[in-house]
Amino acid sequence: MNKVMLIGNVGQEPEVRYVDQGVAVARIRMATTERGYTLQNGTQVPDHTDWHNVILWRRLAEIVEKYVHKGDKLYIEGRIRYTTYDDKQGQRRYATEIWADNMELLSPKPVTSTSANDPVIPPVPDKTPEEGLPF
């Protein structure tokens, strides 16, 4: 089983592109932090932050484009993918990505209006294609 669940904050504005036949694909950088603690002997263990590359396709990418911004808190559910590529100097590079199947926006919506017409965004499951990424 290949399943990843993350709760964290978006580290920079999402990058969204459209590929073949208008299919949206988004890439976000997301930080997850494990809080530090103090051991019984008094030793301080500091916070530890990991950064994740998250890829979202189709409807999830369109939602990211409209509603997700730097600093927002997200829940991401997906699977881990390992890719390799050759950089401009011909060096082999390795990347670890999370391909999202589900996303929930956890940041509170700004209170700018109380209109009943404001959109409600439920979690949207999505399927991802198996071809390579356009990034």
Side-chain angles (χ1 to χ4, degrees):
M1 175 185 281
N2 182 354
K3 185 157 185 101
V4 175
M5 295 183 292
L6 302 172
I7 295 177
N9 296 322
V10 177
Q12 63 191 41
E13 286 298 313
E15 180 181 337
V16 180
R17 295 185 184 180
Y18 287 83
V19 294
D20 298 335
Q21 300 171 350
V23 174
V25 59
R27 176 186 298 270
I28 58 174
R29 295 269 298 148
M30 189 168 144
T32 56
T33 300
E34 294 179 45
R35 295 289 169 214
Y37 53 92
T38 303
L39 297 174
Q40 287 182 347
N41 66 7
T43 302
Q44 295 283 330
V45 177
D47 289 355
H48 177 78
T49 300
D50 286 308
W51 286 92
H52 311 277
N53 294 309
V54 181
I55 308 299
L56 304 101
W57 290 88
R58 296 182 178 83
R59 182 73 179 129
L60 287 177
E62 292 169 4
I63 291 170
V64 164
E65 185 175 37
K66 290 182 183 178
Y67 300 105
V68 175
H69 301 285
K70 179 180 178 178
D72 286 348
K73 182 171 275 206
L74 299 178
Y75 167 77
I76 297 288
E77 192 174 298
R79 53 201 153 106
I80 198 164
R81 300 270 312 233
Y82 300 101
T83 60
T84 60
Y85 63 95
D86 294 328
D87 67 12
K88 293 178 183 175
Q89 291 79 31
Q91 295 266 356
R92 175 65 41 121
R93 300 287 181 186
Y94 301 89
T96 303
E97 300 169 330
I98 307 302
W99 282 36
D101 296 320
N102 188 19
M103 174 185 73
E104 292 184 33
L105 306 173
L106 301 178
S107 293
K109 196 164 89 168
V111 182
T112 56
S113 72
T114 56
S115 170
N117 295 328
D118 288 346
V120 175
I121 306 166
V124 179
D126 200 357
K127 299 296 177 201
T128 57
E130 296 302 319
E131 64 265 9
L133 293 176
F135 293 98

